[in-house]
Amino acid sequence: MSIDIEAIERSQLKEDVPTFQPGDTVKVTVEIKEASGTGDKRTMRTRTQAFQGLVIRRQGAGARETFTVRKISFGVGVERTFPVHSPIIKDIAMVQEGDVRRAKLYYIRDKVGKAARVKKKKLTG
Amino acid sequence: MGKAILGEKLGMTQVFKEDRLIPVTVVKAGPCVVTQLKTRETDGYEAVQVGFGEIPGEKAARRESGAATRRRPAVNRPMEGHFARAGAPPQRFLAELQLDPREFSAGQRIKVDEMFAEGDHADVCAVSKGKGFAGVIKRHGFSGGPGSHGSRFHRAPGAVGQCATPSRVFKGKKLPGHMGTEKVTALNLLVVEVDPDRDLLLLRGSVPGPKGARVIVRQSVKTKAGKAKR
């Protein structure tokens, strides 16, 4: 790849991305832009929203890297995929580290209730 | 007249713009140097010939006869004279751009930021990637037949005409044949970013040709701004 493209990709990266991996439960704080009113009264305002759930996938590299968070909302499974370096992500907070044996936790989708949990990571090695 | 510049396609990547990841093609655009002005009086039309990609001095240099190496110089004598007349260093590529010759002088250098700014729309002309001898599905977008269930008609072109009348195949019938390596223009690409320090142009979407292809980036002709300037 050309040096110029590498430089562009590097400039897109955030420096303060916390470490997290599939199996971890995280709370992602997302900034949302909303428009209210019409015509001259139209104003943009931003608010933040949290999306908390289990990281079931992390894929890609560089600016293209994304991760998927799954949560159960009102009995319905909801998955949301974020670019890791997206400017709308204000914070990724670790809620609980998980202990899993695979990189993609798609099997969780077919599990319900108690079976749909991930072991908590033990602090000892 | 519009604006245009010569460049080289470096490749594609994605950048965040207004909170969204958008696909961009990175083009090394310029710096170009004006090598000839074509005027109505002398040539019957108006254009500016520019060069792109400076040839390093030692490659362009002519060796004395009997010199140790037999390597041909990168610039032959007629071209050497052409560049010398413009007062420009030897260039790898030359192209005529539809620019106003009154606004330029021979030997003048052109940078990207003189031609394009963020938010402009541009067209990109380049020679597309060669596809070789391609069938009708790839070349003309035919549908093709079922893959299985006993079907024996997969990617063939099918019937090519009628019967005793006209008892010939019409001219222009879409058939397999050579595809690619032709001049293709991508229209109305948004200029996402201009980097004058590194001579880079980031254009939204894809651009014809392989990496390293020589491209002509010009002000888009189908947007309002482009039409007004013509």
Side-chain angles (χ1 to χ4, degrees):
Chain A
M1 208 193 305
S2 101
I3 322 161
D4 288 318
I5 293 183
E6 275 176 29
I8 290 167
E9 291 187 347
R10 229 175 296 122
S11 72
Q12 299 294 314
L13 304 182
K14 279 199 219 169
E15 282 163 16
D16 54 347
V17 178
T19 51
F20 62 97
Q21 57 191 23
D24 297 345
T25 303
V26 294
K27 187 174 175 182
V28 186
T29 310
V30 188
E31 193 170 75
I32 295 171
K33 284 202 180 83
E34 281 179 339
S36 56
T38 51
D40 295 341
K41 284 182 206 153
R42 193 176 176 86
T43 49
M44 295 296 282
R45 86 196 170 89
T46 58
R47 66 186 180 86
T48 58
Q49 195 180 57
F51 192 91
Q52 181 172 337
L54 182 71
V55 178
I56 62 164
R57 154 173 64 191
R58 197 167 168 173
Q59 64 89 32
R64 291 179 301 276
E65 186 176 0
T66 62
F67 65 101
T68 301
V69 180
R70 178 182 170 89
K71 73 168 180 181
I72 306 294
S73 178
F74 301 106
V76 183
V78 179
E79 286 178 15
R80 200 165 162 193
T81 302
F82 305 94
V84 172
H85 297 279
S86 170
I88 69 163
I89 294 181
K90 292 299 152 198
D91 183 44
I92 303 172
M94 180 70 69
V95 177
Q96 191 186 91
E97 280 184 71
D99 185 9
V100 289
R101 287 168 176 250
R102 53 209 74 228
K104 307 284 194 285
L105 309 180
Y106 301 143
Y107 69 90
I108 290 281
R109 290 171 179 165
D110 303 323
K111 308 276 185 195
V112 189
K114 273 190 171 181
R117 289 171 309 168
V118 157
K119 265 190 290 180
K120 200 170 166 181
K121 191 158 196 168
K122 293 207 175 93
L123 288 172
T124 49
Chain B
M1 291 219 261
K3 298 182 164 188
I5 199 163
L6 270 178
E8 179 194 341
K9 174 176 168 179
L10 294 183
M12 291 191 74
T13 182
Q14 296 174 0
V15 292
F16 286 103
K17 204 82 199 175
E18 278 154 13
D19 295 346
R20 284 176 177 280
L21 252 191
I22 59 168
V24 293
T25 305
V26 183
V27 175
K28 185 123 199 156
C32 294
V33 58
V34 177
T35 49
Q36 195 183 358
L37 302 172
K38 302 248 175 178
T39 59
R40 206 166 290 281
E41 296 76 58
T42 56
D43 306 281
Y45 65 100
E46 293 188 334
V48 175
Q49 188 193 66
V50 300
F52 169 68
E54 200 167 304
I55 301 174
E58 77 271 14
K59 281 203 170 168
R62 193 160 295 287
R63 307 230 168 199
E64 294 299 315
S65 58
T69 58
R70 292 181 159 200
R71 187 175 51 80
R72 282 208 342 255
V75 185
N76 62 20
R77 272 187 213 280
M79 288 315 290
E80 210 172 63
H82 183 67
F83 290 122
R85 196 171 160 191
Q91 304 288 314
R92 185 116 11 224
F93 304 114
L94 290 181
E96 257 177 44
L97 303 178
Q98 286 188 22
L99 302 170
D100 191 338
R102 284 173 292 269
E103 291 171 17
F104 297 91
S105 58
Q108 183 187 340
R109 289 173 83 77
I110 306 173
K111 294 268 289 175
V112 231
D113 50 328
E114 295 160 24
M115 289 294 175
F116 295 100
E118 202 179 308
D120 288 353
H121 287 269
D123 297 341
V124 178
C125 310
V127 176
S128 63
K129 279 184 184 174
K131 305 282 190 283
F133 193 99
V136 288
I137 293 180
K138 185 190 282 246
R139 192 172 186 226
H140 299 295
F142 283 17
S143 301
S148 61
H149 293 294
S151 168
R152 287 152 65 204
F153 177 72
H154 303 305
R155 297 179 67 95
V160 293
Q162 296 77 27
C163 194
T165 33
S167 68
R168 65 190 176 90
V169 175
F170 289 123
K171 279 194 173 175
K173 175 75 201 137
K174 291 172 181 171
L175 288 170
H178 184 265
M179 185 184 173
T181 36
E182 56 180 353
K183 186 177 172 185
V184 176
T185 306
L187 298 171
N188 292 343
L189 304 178
L190 179 71
V191 176
V192 176
E193 207 177 302
V194 180
D195 184 343
D197 298 329
R198 288 180 291 177
D199 302 309
L200 297 183
L201 203 52
L202 269 60
L203 301 162
R204 191 192 164 122
S206 58
V207 158
K211 286 174 194 168
R214 183 182 57 149
V215 299
I216 295 173
V217 187
R218 63 154 197 245
Q219 184 178 48
S220 103
V221 292
K222 291 204 169 172
T223 49
K224 256 186 186 165
K227 278 181 182 164
K229 291 248 169 81
R230 290 219 148 213

